[in-house]
Amino acid sequence: MNTELFTISIEGFEIVNHILTLGYATMAAALFFFILTKKNCLPKYRMSSVISVVVMVSAFLLLFIQKESWTAAYAFNGAAYVLNPGADLFTNGYRYLNWLIDVPMLLIQILFVAEIVGSDRVRYMTRFSVSGCMMILLGYIGQFYEPGRLNESIFWWAFWGLASTGFFIYVLILITRVIKEGAAKMDGPAQSLFSAILPLFYISWWLYPIAYAAPVLMEAGVSYQFTIVSQQVIYTIADISSKVVYGVMLTVTASMISEKQGYAVDG
Ligand code: RET
């Protein structure tokens, strides 16, 4: 193996270390936010906060492991960071298993604030869970063949990535419908805030396939270091916006519409 190819500069190594730490520290901080603000809304909306708590715990653990995996995979050779002989390779695989929990949770969470109830809720829950999990599982298979890995195969990486994208498009169609349906029941600032979740969703969720595709840059001659560092930066921005910012927007919307319905937070 040509380990030269896998050299990371001090700056590159530290940026990834810092950004992964920022990621799990944000999840830990937001965990407290969701617990402490749970009672700011009517009981019918509280499942949204409960789901955010579940997502925070799972993301905290994953990002912590991800950072440990990063520091273990490389060793300082006096000038730069190189692959640590005998250590496990750095892998994004854990992320996918975390998404398997978080993706259905994030998609189901919004149904409570959008007040989609009864059989409609069950239908959306089923469609979201099945398509969300399929999207992740197919992407998980594909990431084993990522360009730059020892067993790279551009064909299989693109094949599974495209198959996964089919389910992603379906998720986007469904979420657009849910956000429009929910917003139609609201008015004033709550409606504006809730509607703003749609662009946030589109931007933050597209970052994941972009990070998946980033290694193809290496085929175009971009360095391993630049590719891997930008991939981790993109993932972290995506994680913070799709889980934390999204959850906070839902919590604030829920408290606004609760107040409108005469709910007063006591204590
Ligand atoms: C993959 C594979 C390549 C094609 C597509 C993908 C989409 C991933 C998405 C992930 C979202 C994750 C979230 C996690 C939050 O915890 C699997 C990278 C389309 C959209 C929101």
Side-chain angles (χ1 to χ4, degrees):
M1 175 169 81
N2 183 359
T3 48
E4 275 284 291
L5 266 176
F6 300 98
T7 300
I8 309 258
S9 70
I10 297 174
E11 293 86 345
F13 180 83
E14 290 187 349
I15 289 171
V16 173
N17 234 347
H18 297 158
I19 197 98
L20 291 173
T21 305
L22 170 72
Y24 71 72
T26 307
M27 301 302 151
L31 171 66
F32 284 94
F33 173 85
F34 292 118
I35 293 173
L36 296 170
T37 57
K38 182 176 157 242
K39 294 214 164 125
N40 286 9
C41 63
L42 284 163
K44 62 179 171 177
Y45 303 123
R46 288 186 194 158
M47 188 51 91
S48 169
S49 301
V50 171
I51 292 180
S52 275
V53 167
V54 172
V55 168
M56 290 308 110
V57 173
S58 128
F60 170 84
L61 290 172
L62 161 273
L63 287 167
F64 187 77
I65 301 253
Q66 198 74 30
K67 191 218 160 234
E68 294 293 295
S69 157
W70 178 255
T71 41
Y74 296 93
F76 189 56
N77 73 358
Y81 284 86
V82 289
L83 278 188
N84 197 1
D88 290 344
L89 292 172
F90 178 63
T91 165
N92 283 309
Y94 299 114
R95 288 187 182 277
Y96 289 71
L97 302 172
N98 164 253
W99 300 341
L100 217 41
I101 302 171
D102 289 358
V103 162
M105 289 292 129
L106 292 167
L107 293 169
I108 289 170
Q109 165 174 27
I110 197 168
L111 299 174
F112 294 88
V113 182
E115 284 199 64
I116 291 171
V117 293
S119 58
D120 278 352
R121 180 185 289 175
V122 177
R123 198 167 327 117
Y124 273 121
M125 280 169 92
T126 316
R127 291 181 182 173
F128 274 150
S129 307
V130 173
S131 46
C133 289
M134 284 305 290
M135 172 182 89
I136 303 306
L137 285 172
L138 299 180
Y140 177 67
I141 303 174
Q143 58 86 36
F144 283 112
Y145 304 106
E146 187 177 276
R149 284 180 69 95
L150 294 177
N151 46 347
E152 74 165 33
S153 158
I154 304 273
F155 175 80
W156 288 114
W157 168 79
F159 175 85
W160 295 111
L162 286 174
S164 162
T165 306
F167 287 97
F168 181 43
I169 304 290
Y170 183 55
V171 166
L172 291 177
I173 293 170
L174 291 180
I175 198 76
T176 309
R177 223 183 276 163
V178 166
I179 294 177
K180 294 221 159 117
E181 255 181 68
K185 297 174 196 146
M186 303 172 192
D187 53 18
Q191 189 183 45
S192 315
L193 180 63
F194 188 75
S195 305
I197 293 176
L198 191 60
L200 171 88
F201 196 98
Y202 269 74
I203 297 169
S204 58
W205 282 54
W206 268 110
L207 292 175
Y208 291 93
I210 290 174
Y212 177 93
V216 85
L217 290 175
M218 283 189 275
E219 302 298 315
V222 176
S223 71
Y224 169 76
Q225 147 161 308
F226 180 83
T227 309
I228 197 166
V229 172
S230 26
Q231 191 186 44
Q232 295 310 312
V233 172
I234 296 171
Y235 273 140
T236 306
I237 296 171
D239 280 339
I240 294 177
S241 37
S242 71
K243 301 185 234 253
V244 180
V245 179
Y246 171 78
V248 170
M249 285 167 90
L250 285 174
T251 300
V252 177
T253 307
S255 65
M256 285 164 125
I257 52 182
S258 299
E259 208 182 303
K260 236 183 155 159
Q261 292 167 64
Y263 181 74
V265 184
D266 51 31

